[in-house]
Amino acid sequence: MRGGRGQPAPQPLLDVTDLRVRLRTPRGPAHVVNGLSYSVGPGETVAVVGESGSGKSVSVLALLGLLPARTATVTGQALLQGEDLLRMSPERLRQVRGPGVGMVFQDPMTSLNPVLTVGRQIVEGIRAHGDVPKAQARARAVELLAEVGLPDPVRAVDRYPHELSGGMRQRVVIAIALSNSPALLIADEATTALDVTVQAQIIDLVEKLQADHGTGVIWITHDLGVVAGIADRVLVMYGGRCVEDGTVDDVLEHPAHPYTKGLLGALPDLTAIGPDGEIPDLVTVTGLPPAPTDLPAGCVFWPRCPVRADPRCETEQPPLVPVAPLRNGRLGPDSPPAEGRDGQVGAGRLPHRAATWCAEGLS
């Protein structure tokens, strides 16, 4: 949470600087994450959005040491409560996973052990990080399954993953991630397999965890509707880079990057339905994301960009710089950051930034 007017903001829970991930592949080195920097404050939710293949999941797996060491090279800095995750020993990382960082993985079927009951998997996670009697840990497992909305949690605790539906398995994975009240929760498509009622229940549970424990949240998703409802800040990734970030109001209401504008334009606008019921066409972003083994020399979005208002985009990478509303109502680069609701700029409030020279060309 940010500090109030005139007060310094609290130190970030997680501070990532210049994170880079390179994977060795048969086609050559794949530059999957390229200079990613961001922070997450206590009790803050940072949503990471972008198409599949933009580097969202790989960036958080790298933080937790979950990429194969033989093929992945990870550089940069990731300070979790002052301690660098990227320089921790494997033993120290195992201690941090759980009470330090809880992770909700994207595929619940491959995240759960198929030969162990879901209750045993939750109990093992609880007892691995504390001297908790087995009976107490089992009672806590039942309580967690109830909190994430699993029907009949007393019986479900003794079921195996294959006996549960995809949505139920997803809720079990969320329960495991929450079992040690982590300081930082990373949710990778945490509510994708859930219906809207359970989705709202999970979001309420995460918000309660934030209120009770000051938990920071990184929420990776394709659902911009969820982002609008839960996020404090938004980070838009494309081609392994952050192309835009800022408060949720800044990014969703005043997008500065052509890619962000394309993502938002692909959402149906129910208020734009005509008097005779005609539905306006959705905006589409033509083409495909670039392969990480063959990234463009300039702006990573240039091959698909509908604007191309600046010739530098083809050969130079635009820096991530602050943008702010101009007098004519448009957004432009290199403008001073606008004040936040609390009157702060700079430290204590992330400015609205975009890596583009084409903001002036946006309609």
Side-chain angles (χ1 to χ4, degrees):
M1 302 293 286
R2 300 181 185 90
R5 185 186 296 270
Q7 297 178 349
Q11 291 297 314
L13 176 65
L14 175 70
D15 193 6
V16 178
T17 304
D18 197 28
L19 178 66
R20 297 177 183 272
V21 179
R22 186 181 67 181
L23 302 179
R24 290 189 293 276
T25 73
R27 297 185 178 182
H31 300 273
V32 184
V33 181
N34 303 288
L36 186 63
S37 298
Y38 63 94
S39 64
V40 182
E44 184 178 38
T45 299
V46 176
V48 183
V49 302
E51 290 174 276
S52 296
S54 60
K56 305 184 302 298
S57 297
V58 172
S59 68
V60 294
L61 292 175
L63 298 181
L64 298 180
L66 297 178
L67 296 177
R70 291 185 177 181
T71 58
T73 301
V74 180
T75 60
Q77 186 180 70
L79 299 179
L80 177 69
Q81 297 176 317
E83 192 174 1
D84 194 348
L85 290 168
L86 304 185
R87 286 164 179 77
M88 288 182 182
S89 65
E91 178 60 31
R92 177 58 182 151
L93 267 176
R94 281 192 290 270
Q95 295 172 355
V96 167
R97 298 181 197 127
V101 183
M103 176 81 182
V104 181
F105 294 94
Q106 190 168 356
D107 186 354
M109 195 60 203
T110 58
S111 304
L112 297 171
N113 191 325
V115 300
L116 299 179
T117 64
V118 297
R120 181 174 173 183
Q121 295 182 62
I122 299 173
V123 166
E124 284 187 353
I126 295 173
R127 300 188 73 197
H129 297 283
D131 186 15
V132 181
K134 190 172 182 179
Q136 183 179 336
R138 179 182 170 86
R140 175 60 177 154
V142 173
E143 180 183 329
L144 283 165
L145 292 178
E147 287 181 352
V148 297
L150 206 67
D152 196 0
V154 176
R155 294 182 59 189
V157 76
D158 291 318
R159 291 183 176 177
Y160 290 88
H162 72 271
E163 298 180 282
L164 304 177
S165 67
M168 290 179 177
R169 289 194 293 267
Q170 184 69 63
R171 281 175 264 182
V172 171
V173 173
I174 295 171
I176 293 174
L178 299 179
S179 61
N180 287 285
S181 299
L184 175 69
L185 177 67
I186 300 174
D188 190 357
E189 300 288 353
T191 57
T192 297
L194 307 178
D195 60 58
V196 291
T197 303
V198 178
Q199 185 181 85
Q201 188 175 358
I202 296 301
I203 291 173
D204 288 343
L205 180 61
V206 171
E207 290 179 342
K208 182 179 184 299
L209 189 70
Q210 289 180 292
D212 293 345
H213 303 283
T215 304
V217 176
I218 299 174
W219 196 283
I220 299 173
T221 184
H222 294 279
D223 191 337
L224 294 178
V226 170
V227 170
I230 69 169
D232 296 302
R233 294 194 283 116
V234 181
L235 189 152
V236 182
M237 288 191 67
Y238 184 81
R241 299 187 177 103
C242 173
V243 296
E244 184 166 357
D245 64 4
T247 67
V248 64
D249 291 340
D250 283 341
V251 174
L252 299 188
E253 295 182 14
H254 308 288
H257 197 283
Y259 178 62
T260 310
K261 193 175 182 68
L263 290 179
L264 294 171
L267 294 175
D269 184 2
L270 299 181
T271 64
I273 298 177
D276 297 326
E278 62 271 18
I279 301 174
D281 293 335
L282 298 179
V283 174
T284 58
V285 181
T286 58
L288 297 172
T293 54
D294 187 26
L295 295 175
C299 174
V300 70
F301 188 59
W302 184 86
R304 304 173 70 189
C305 183
V307 181
R308 297 189 181 184
D310 193 304
R312 292 176 294 176
C313 296
E314 185 176 3
T315 57
E316 299 179 40
Q317 293 181 20
L320 193 64
V321 296
V323 295
L326 300 178
R327 290 183 180 179
N328 62 5
R330 289 186 176 181
L331 293 165
D334 303 318
S335 302
E339 289 189 356
R341 297 170 189 168
D342 54 9
Q344 292 182 307
V345 295
R349 179 187 186 272
L350 181 71
H352 184 191
R353 303 182 301 173
T356 180
W357 289 303
C358 297
E360 295 260 29
L362 294 176
S363 58

